[in-house]
Amino acid sequence: MEQRAKPRWSVAGAAGAGCGAILVMFHQAYHVFSGSFHDSDPFAHIMLELSAASAAGALLCAAGTALYQRLVQP
């Protein structure tokens, strides 16, 4: 049987990053509609939260996938 090459990027990591970005968008929409803005620069605040949530979501989903593969595959 032929072995397939592993991709260099993780689909689960990309999905986690997308989920994190969507959650940040909803969070920022809540701030806009409720009128509760931060005292600092809004752009910097949004970009900081977006990058942190995307990275955390990617790491969480990639770790879950790695754990699943370790438990399922011998």
Side-chain angles (χ1 to χ4, degrees):
M1 188 182 326
E2 203 175 298
Q3 292 284 352
R4 292 190 328 176
K6 292 185 177 181
R8 293 181 181 217
W9 51 274
S10 169
V11 174
C19 290
I22 289 170
L23 289 175
V24 169
M25 287 181 207
F26 282 122
H27 175 70
Q28 296 305 326
Y30 167 75
H31 280 298
V32 168
F33 291 126
S34 68
S36 61
F37 295 106
H38 299 282
D39 293 336
S40 64
D41 181 26
F43 181 75
H45 179 77
I46 290 170
M47 295 313 292
L48 176 66
E49 285 187 356
L50 184 61
S51 60
S54 296
L59 287 174
L60 183 66
C61 286
T65 300
L67 180 64
Y68 172 76
Q69 288 177 349
R70 184 164 238 230
L71 293 174
V72 170
Q73 295 176 354

